Amino acid sequence: MKRIFTVSLFAVLVCSSCESAQQILNNLPQSGQTTNAMQIAAGLKEALTIGTQNSTGRLSAVNGFFANAALKILMPPEAQKVESTLRNLGLGSVVDKAVLSMNRGAEEAASAATPIFVNAIKQMTITDAIGILRGGDFAATNYFKQKTTAALTEAFRPVITNSLQKVNATKYWSDVFSTYNKFSSTPVNTDLAGYVTEKAIAGIFHEVSLEEQKIRQDPAARVTDLLKAVFGSALAQTK
């Protein structure tokens, strides 16, 4: 039974043809199919729980966004092109404070993502789990985008709004772009909380995608017995 399980899981994980993977699963003895599928789902759920906790833990730390070159929240593109002008007008410190406070707001909100991801994982069916394993390198991340974006937006926005207000970031943003909009034919959207919320959620999913890749590709990332059993034994069959 162990041999059947590991071969079937390996096919689901790495087979380039979904049809071939389905063929192998279809050939399993009927009595073992449900147990194997439940083991696969349990392993995947554990992997995703660990991965999302790692992601949100990194981003909710101080400088989780601000010191991350890939995720640091900057002025929107239409504003970046006039940033030097604003600095020349003596607004450099205001711009710097706005950028720092945007990232601090995202960091504070990131901790709210963990229970939302956990809830999505709990609701995942066996069919969802098998679909994710067959679905490509970013299938889990795409699943989370579909299932959690609305809830993340609802949870993030008030936290970010409150965080921005605590450090007067909304005022800094208003000062900067009120000045900019007076001289521009293409005004910048002054909804700071909305902008930061969107960027923060994009950053969360970026980190989740990195964790997904670790679990799929790096044996060292499988840190529990269940993960090693589900992922490690399957890959061992290829050696």
Side-chain angles (χ1 to χ4, degrees):
M1 178 61 70
K2 181 179 178 182
R3 172 75 178 182
I4 292 172
F5 168 62
T6 55
V7 171
S8 65
L9 177 57
F10 173 68
V12 172
L13 280 171
V14 302
C15 185
S16 60
S17 166
C18 289
E19 183 178 353
S20 298
Q22 183 62 56
Q23 234 175 12
I24 292 172
L25 288 176
N26 288 342
N27 289 333
L28 287 172
Q30 187 64 37
S31 61
Q33 285 182 343
T34 299
T35 300
N36 290 338
M38 290 176 66
Q39 288 176 301
I40 292 170
L44 178 67
K45 287 184 177 185
E46 185 164 329
L48 294 179
T49 299
I50 292 171
T52 54
Q53 288 174 343
N54 288 342
S55 300
T56 56
R58 283 195 301 270
L59 294 184
S60 61
V62 175
N63 290 330
F65 276 87
F66 189 71
N68 188 324
L71 301 181
K72 183 178 180 180
I73 301 174
L74 303 172
M75 295 295 183
E78 63 270 26
Q80 290 177 29
K81 63 186 178 183
V82 298
E83 184 172 331
S84 60
T85 302
L86 293 171
R87 291 185 184 280
N88 290 336
L89 292 172
L91 293 172
S93 63
V94 174
V95 173
D96 291 338
K97 289 176 182 177
V99 170
L100 178 61
S101 55
M102 286 190 295
N103 286 274
R104 289 291 183 259
E107 291 158 7
E108 185 172 346
S111 60
T114 299
I116 293 173
F117 284 129
V118 169
N119 184 58
I121 292 168
K122 287 180 178 178
Q123 294 180 14
M124 186 181 293
T125 65
I126 291 176
T127 300
D128 291 332
I130 299 299
I132 288 171
L133 288 172
R134 291 178 179 152
D137 288 348
F138 300 102
T141 303
N142 291 334
Y143 173 87
F144 282 129
K145 286 181 180 179
Q146 179 185 1
K147 298 294 185 180
T148 68
T149 295
L152 289 172
T153 301
E154 184 178 353
F156 275 29
R157 179 157 184 136
V159 174
I160 287 173
T161 297
N162 183 60
S163 179
L164 294 173
Q165 288 175 344
K166 285 193 298 186
V167 294
N168 287 325
T170 304
K171 178 181 181 300
Y172 297 140
W173 181 271
S174 178
D175 287 347
V176 169
F177 292 111
S178 291
T179 301
Y180 170 68
N181 288 342
K182 289 178 183 178
F183 302 100
S184 175
S185 59
T186 56
V188 173
N189 185 349
T190 57
D191 181 10
L192 176 60
Y195 171 72
V196 176
T197 298
E198 179 181 341
K199 300 296 286 186
I201 292 173
I204 288 283
F205 286 135
H206 174 81
E207 289 297 293
V208 167
S209 73
L210 296 181
E211 286 294 324
E212 181 176 0
Q213 293 309 289
K214 286 182 184 178
I215 294 295
R216 289 182 185 273
Q217 299 172 6
D218 183 3
R222 302 170 199 139
V223 295
T224 70
D225 290 340
L226 181 56
L227 292 184
K228 290 172 184 176
V230 172
F231 290 90
S233 62
L235 293 178
Q237 299 298 316
T238 66
K239 296 180 180 180

